[in-house]
Amino acid sequence: MADNTPPTAPTPIELLPDDTLGYCDPVTGVCALPGAASHAAEPERSLPQDQAEGQVAAPASEDPHHARRWLILAVILVAQVMILLDTTIVNVALPSAQADLGFSDADRQWVLTAYVLAFGSLLPLGGRLSDIFGRKRTFLAGLAGFAATSAIAGAAPNIGTLIVARAAQGTFAAMLAPAALSLITVTFTDREELNKAIGIFGAASGGASALGLILGGLLTEYASWRWTMYVNIIFAVTGIVGALALLKHSTHPDKPRLSLSSTILGSAALFGIVFGASKAETNGWSSGVTIVSLVAGAVLLAAFVLLQKYDRHPLIPLRVVLNRNRGGAYLVVGLSNLALLAEFLFLTYYFQTVLGYSPIIAGFAFLPLPVAIAITAVITQEKLVKRLTVRALVVTGLAISAAGAVLLAQTGVGTSYAALPLPALILLGVGLGLSVVVAISIGQQGVDPRDAGAAGAMNSVSQQIGSAIGVAVISTFVATATTSYLTSHPAGGAAEATVHGFSVGYWWAAGVYVVAAVICGLLIRPKTYAHHHTGAELGDEAMLMTS
């Protein structure tokens, strides 16, 4: 490979020590340090996307991605909101779709499961495709495919077509999600701006699920359930137009290759885990298909991890995961989603079956959660990361989330919305805005640019696996508690038993947040961001670290 490094640049190295989240690009010799803008040996030069992908850098003012970075972020947010919106908007539309197409309750489950299975199991492959073929191409292919399959799902004449289209949607979502996150990582080269961008990304992600409930209710009630699918076309076309206008194709000269063995083994492992968790929710943990799926998934996952150590072209390079900061961040993201999605499910039923809200009103009842996430995420990434360590932020956020779950556990049949659910949702939003958004940021930091897609895939895999397992596991405890309450309180009503079961689920969610806080405290190093450094100081430190 030709050496394009300027004569005054330091000797290139692969990675800085694990106690930092910086890296030195092996192609350019430029060292990016945590906590501030990335600087070359010549301090006046920044690290735009083209250089991050192995090309000779131009000044930030001449780099088209740098100049358009906030517009690019807007395009990325359109895609991310569409992906997450689709996971909840369908829930509201399912009863109408079932009445229209005449499918059974057993088939109804597969409308949701088909999407989750394809999405969760193909995420590592989708992340690697963006590293191999380029983020713009993968992003555009994901958007176009999602639009086409959404059109097929909306026009589905029968349940078979709908399920196949939903699985195809999940496949293209697995391409989109890691490409979107990696695009942010390589577009925003200034550390402070990257923090702000990921904060906005996290805030939008947090609000997408609640928006899905509201939009699903409106479209189903005033149009048709089919429009909950067709609406994706509007998002996708908007994203395609923006991506074609703003993004420039570029690939790393030392781009990885795709390993067929790693791809098959990794996808099969995740499929087994997600499928087993889904069957546990409906068939129980003692079901044969549940046990076989989970055991097979676990065995295949162990084999996959071992293969990544020896494969010349690993699907998820172990260097991405074994860094203690990133590894801890992925666990925090997974556990937080494990608790949150279970709480989200129980609250949906609580609002509609206990408090008697309509689907639209129930969707609006969730709004304090994404609003709190959005405000907290922006404040955290713009202000707090400059004054506090990320370990302190994540631990504090998880503790606040646990407090919100404990507050939810106090709700009863006659509890008013303003008395407990409202303040609990605000606490959860503040806690998640502090913890999960920062953890997602940590999960993308310090990776070689050629591995940005793999890191984005790990963030998304953590979310998907955590969500699938959380709903299955905690729902089991809720069902057991509900049945026990009915047995021990024969005079009690079904509503009281339901609320009691939900309370048990909230206590388990609080425990998960506490476990995540302990893991964060043990794994994530406190000095993740460096503060109070000037550009010249960062350049000097980079040279010292490479000498």
Side-chain angles (χ1 to χ4, degrees):
M1 184 187 302
D3 185 7
N4 296 323
T5 306
T8 58
T11 303
I13 61 174
E14 288 291 335
L15 291 172
L16 295 176
D18 278 347
D19 60 348
T20 73
L21 287 178
Y23 66 84
C24 290
D25 193 301
V27 177
T28 64
V30 175
C31 291
L33 292 178
S38 302
H39 292 270
E42 299 175 348
E44 70 272 11
R45 296 172 71 90
S46 64
L47 183 61
Q49 179 179 3
D50 286 345
Q51 184 176 6
E53 303 222 349
Q55 302 176 13
V56 178
S61 60
E62 298 178 8
D63 176 55
H65 284 137
H66 180 82
R68 304 169 179 174
R69 60 197 182 280
W70 296 109
L71 291 175
I72 291 174
L73 177 63
V75 173
I76 293 170
L77 292 181
V78 169
Q80 179 68 5
V81 168
M82 178 186 70
I83 294 171
L84 296 179
L85 184 88
D86 199 67
T87 60
T88 54
I89 196 172
V90 177
N91 288 329
V92 181
L94 264 182
S96 296
Q98 185 174 5
D100 185 18
L101 300 181
F103 52 83
S104 66
D105 290 345
D107 290 334
R108 180 179 62 189
Q109 166 201 349
W110 284 101
V111 177
L112 303 175
T113 303
Y115 179 86
V116 173
L117 281 176
F119 190 11
S121 59
L122 295 177
L123 272 168
L125 172 60
R128 218 49 177 157
L129 289 178
S130 68
D131 293 329
I132 295 171
F133 296 107
R135 296 170 185 90
K136 177 181 178 179
R137 289 177 178 174
T138 308
F139 189 72
L140 284 171
L143 284 170
F146 204 95
T149 52
S150 295
I152 295 172
N158 52 57
I159 183 59
T161 304
L162 181 59
I163 290 174
V164 171
R166 289 286 292 164
Q169 279 184 306
T171 301
F172 288 106
M175 296 173 61
L176 264 177
L181 202 49
S182 63
L183 274 170
I184 294 178
T185 305
V186 299
T187 299
F188 288 85
T189 56
D190 179 89
R191 177 61 61 204
E192 184 173 342
E193 288 192 345
L194 176 60
N195 293 336
K196 183 177 180 180
I198 290 184
I200 296 172
F201 180 86
S205 300
S209 296
L211 177 62
L213 291 174
I214 298 171
L215 189 58
L218 290 172
L219 290 174
T220 302
E221 184 168 344
Y222 296 109
S224 165
W225 70 268
R226 297 182 183 276
W227 274 98
T228 62
M229 304 294 175
Y230 292 146
V231 72
N232 293 323
I233 301 174
I234 300 173
F235 284 94
V237 170
T238 302
I240 290 171
V241 172
L244 288 172
L246 299 172
L247 293 177
K248 178 181 178 182
H249 173 68
S250 58
T251 56
H252 198 287
D254 190 26
K255 63 183 180 182
R257 297 178 182 178
L258 188 63
S259 167
L260 184 61
S261 57
S262 285
T263 300
I264 294 174
L265 199 58
S267 299
L270 292 176
F271 182 91
I273 293 172
V274 175
F275 182 76
S278 299
K279 298 306 290 184
E281 185 181 356
T282 55
N283 295 18
W285 291 96
S286 60
S287 167
V289 66
T290 300
I291 295 173
V292 171
S293 298
L294 290 176
V295 171
V299 171
L300 290 173
L301 184 61
F304 172 75
V305 172
L306 183 63
L307 179 61
Q308 301 316 284
K309 183 178 180 180
Y310 299 103
D311 197 330
R312 293 182 60 188
H313 305 289
L315 193 63
I316 299 290
L318 293 184
R319 60 180 174 269
V320 173
V321 182
L322 294 183
N323 176 280
R324 62 186 291 174
N325 288 296
R326 288 194 296 272
Y330 297 144
L331 287 172
V332 166
V333 170
L335 289 172
S336 297
N337 276 272
L338 187 154
L340 177 63
L341 264 292
E343 294 170 304
F344 205 88
L345 175 65
F346 304 148
L347 276 173
T348 301
Y349 281 103
Y350 178 78
F351 288 149
Q352 296 189 48
T353 63
V354 177
L355 298 186
Y357 293 170
S358 67
I360 297 176
I361 298 301
F364 279 105
F366 277 104
L367 275 183
L369 175 65
V371 169
I373 291 176
I375 295 174
T376 307
V378 172
I379 294 175
T380 299
Q381 297 290 7
E382 287 191 351
K383 304 293 183 182
L384 297 183
V385 295
K386 300 176 184 178
R387 295 171 173 81
L388 300 171
T389 67
V390 290
R391 185 165 73 181
L393 289 172
V394 175
V395 170
T396 301
L398 291 168
I400 294 174
S401 297
V406 170
L407 198 59
L408 282 176
Q410 313 308 312
T411 54
V413 175
T415 303
S416 68
Y417 173 76
L420 286 177
L422 176 59
L425 285 169
I426 294 173
L427 283 176
L428 284 173
V430 171
L432 295 170
L434 277 172
S435 58
V436 175
V437 175
V438 173
I440 290 174
S441 178
I442 297 172
Q444 290 296 120
Q445 290 178 18
V447 293
D448 190 296
R450 61 182 174 173
D451 293 332
M458 278 305 303
N459 260 318
S460 298
V461 166
S462 299
Q463 295 176 38
Q464 291 299 311
I465 297 298
S467 301
I469 293 177
V471 171
V473 172
I474 299 182
S475 291
T476 301
F477 297 127
V478 169
T480 301
T482 302
T483 302
S484 298
Y485 186 91
L486 286 172
T487 303
S488 59
H489 299 77
E496 286 79 3
T498 299
V499 171
H500 171 75
F502 290 164
S503 296
V504 172
Y506 298 138
W507 278 112
W508 276 101
V512 171
Y513 288 126
V514 171
V515 170
V518 172
I519 291 175
C520 171
L522 292 175
L523 289 181
I524 298 179
R525 296 180 185 273
K527 295 182 180 179
T528 304
Y529 291 103
H531 313 304
H532 314 301
H533 286 288
T534 65
E537 289 170 340
L538 285 168
D540 294 340
E541 288 182 18
M543 294 185 69
L544 287 173
M545 289 183 177
T546 57
S547 62

